[in-house]
Structures are given as C-alpha cells and as structure tokens.
Amino acid sequence: MTVYARVDSPVGELLLVGERAGHGVALASVSMTGQRGAVVVRAEWVADSDAFATVIAQLRSYFAGESTEFDLELRAGGSDFQRRVWDVLDGIPYGTTASYGEVAAQAGLPRERVRAVAAAIGANPLLIVRPCHRVIGAGGALTGYAGGRERKQRLLELEGVLLAS
C-alpha cells in the first residue's frame, strides 16, 4: 500500500511517498513543492505521517546540522543505467560536491555520456536523501536541480559547501 506524508522543511514543504514495510515505510520518493516533475498525490494513496516517523526524524536531524547521512529503507526504482548513476550519488560525501563528468567517470562511463548521466540525476526520485544537490557544473556552477537553484544553494550552504548569501 502506498502511503504519503507532507513535512515542512527549510527548503519548503516536502512530499514523502513510500510503501508500508514492517513498522515503517520503504521510501520511494522525496519531492518538493513546485519542483520539475513533482509527484502528485493519488486518490488511492493513504496519508500516514506515523509511517514516516523515522524518515521525518532523520530529515529534521539533517536540517538541524546534527546528521550527515541517512539510514533508511529505500524502494528500488529506475532503470539499470539510472541506478548505476544513483549509486555514485549515494557515495558523494556530505559537505562535498562532484561534477557531472566526475559522476560519469565514477560510474565507469565515457565523457560522451555526461548528458545521459545528467538526465539520470534529474530523474532521481529521492531529493535530499539521495544527494543529487551535490552535483555541480564543471566550473562550479549550480546547475540542474529539480527543486530549483535556490534550494540547491540552500542545501549546499547547510552542508558548508557554500557560504550563505
């Protein structure tokens, strides 16, 4: 059964979506209000913020600067190619960034596949939890974040990568 919850955060309201698993949930999506390709709640989904208690607690800890990692059950999705790229995202440490070219190289892909890598990063359904906000342009530009440039900047400021403006 698909469940969802809405939670406030420093980057705006987040929509959490998952499948019931044990006493909690296997997280399938974290999206932001107004993002490109935002998830829309379906009529058959059930609102259940209690199922997301662990997810919400870890997000709050992250936003408070008390935690640098997430330890959550995730629901696998995406193509083999996307999962290959997402595995690299999962390995980008808190407080650091990587360029699209570096992500491609770490995924074992040639430089010519950078656009495909960027598309896979853009299809990441787990914003914040799977840190696609840590991927930047080769020259350090804050490019390509589904949640918008301002939110990407805010997340990188939170992680100490950028100075607050």
Side-chain angles (χ1 to χ4, degrees):
M1 171 189 304
T2 301
V3 292
Y4 73 94
R6 297 180 191 279
V7 62
D8 289 326
S9 82
V11 292
E13 184 180 77
L14 303 176
L15 174 63
L16 311 176
V17 179
E19 298 293 328
R20 287 191 197 272
H23 296 293
V25 66
L27 188 63
S29 173
V30 176
S31 60
M32 300 175 178
T33 303
Q35 83 170 57
R36 277 191 325 256
V39 173
V40 177
V41 174
R42 298 181 185 171
E44 66 271 17
W45 293 357
V46 176
D48 185 357
S49 57
D50 290 343
F52 292 92
T54 299
V55 176
I56 292 168
Q58 288 189 32
L59 283 165
R60 287 189 175 139
S61 180
Y62 168 81
F63 284 119
E66 300 165 352
S67 177
T68 61
E69 302 181 337
F70 294 95
D71 182 17
L72 300 167
E73 182 177 349
L74 306 177
R75 190 180 102 207
S79 68
D80 289 342
F81 181 82
Q82 287 171 329
R83 286 192 304 274
R84 182 175 175 182
V85 172
W86 297 344
D87 284 346
V88 174
L89 295 182
D90 289 337
I92 302 172
Y94 179 95
T96 66
T97 59
S99 71
Y100 291 92
E102 289 168 337
V103 171
Q106 289 177 28
L109 298 165
R111 186 106 181 113
E112 304 81 59
R113 300 296 309 270
V114 167
R115 285 183 184 234
V117 166
I121 292 169
N124 171 24
L126 294 164
L127 299 185
I128 303 167
V129 172
R130 180 177 289 132
C132 55
H133 61 277
R134 296 180 189 151
V135 181
I136 60 174
L142 301 184
T143 58
Y145 188 61
R149 185 185 181 283
E150 296 78 20
R151 289 174 172 152
K152 182 173 192 162
Q153 180 170 337
R154 174 69 185 104
L155 292 168
L156 291 175
E157 288 169 354
L158 172 81
E159 294 187 11
V161 175
L162 299 175
L163 297 176
S165 14

